[in-house]
Amino acid sequence: LKDAKDILSVVQSLRMIRSVPPSVMEVVTGFGEIWSAQTLYAYLKHKGVTTAWLDARDVLIVRSEKANAGLGDKGSSSSTGGVTPLYVESALKMEEWWNGVGKIEGVN
């Protein structure tokens, strides 16, 4: 429900400015990726596969190199558009997830 409200807010803003900045496209694309992963999670759970939902936003920590940093061109593995993953911090968050949700859901 929160995602739907967020998307509605984005769409209403776009109607007012009558353009779609690249940063907004990244937000919308991000929601699509999250919803796709949630759909796969629900399907696997329905089929009885031991699985758990992990929202990468809860564990992936990045540092932006510049104010308008993004994820780079779609499909580009060499360009992160000024976003640097913080691997140590992300690994600690991931370990917390495994020891919490992962254990509860039985995927650990």
Side-chain angles (χ1 to χ4, degrees):
L1 185 61
K2 182 188 178 313
D3 287 351
K5 288 179 182 177
D6 290 345
I7 284 289
L8 180 59
S9 179
V10 168
V11 169
Q12 289 171 336
S13 298
L14 294 175
R15 279 182 54 202
M16 289 174 33
I17 63 173
R18 296 181 186 267
S19 73
V20 182
S23 59
V24 173
M25 286 299 294
E26 287 181 11
V27 169
V28 172
T29 300
F31 276 118
E33 291 171 359
I34 291 165
W35 295 339
S36 176
Q38 288 173 332
T39 301
L40 177 59
Y41 163 72
Y43 173 78
L44 292 172
K45 192 127 182 129
H46 174 75
K47 290 294 189 179
V49 176
T50 302
T51 187
W53 166 246
L54 168 62
D55 189 334
R57 298 172 293 184
D58 294 336
V59 297
L60 180 59
I61 310 297
V62 298
R63 179 182 64 238
S64 296
E65 303 295 329
K66 48 193 169 191
N68 61 349
L71 297 178
D73 295 330
K74 192 92 171 145
S76 172
S77 61
S78 62
S79 171
T80 59
V83 176
T84 303
L86 302 178
Y87 294 105
V88 173
E89 294 86 342
S90 296
L92 291 172
K93 288 282 197 180
M94 188 70 223
E95 185 176 351
E96 286 176 27
W97 185 90
W98 276 114
N99 291 325
V101 176
K103 278 187 179 176
I104 292 167
E105 296 290 329
V107 294
N108 188 351

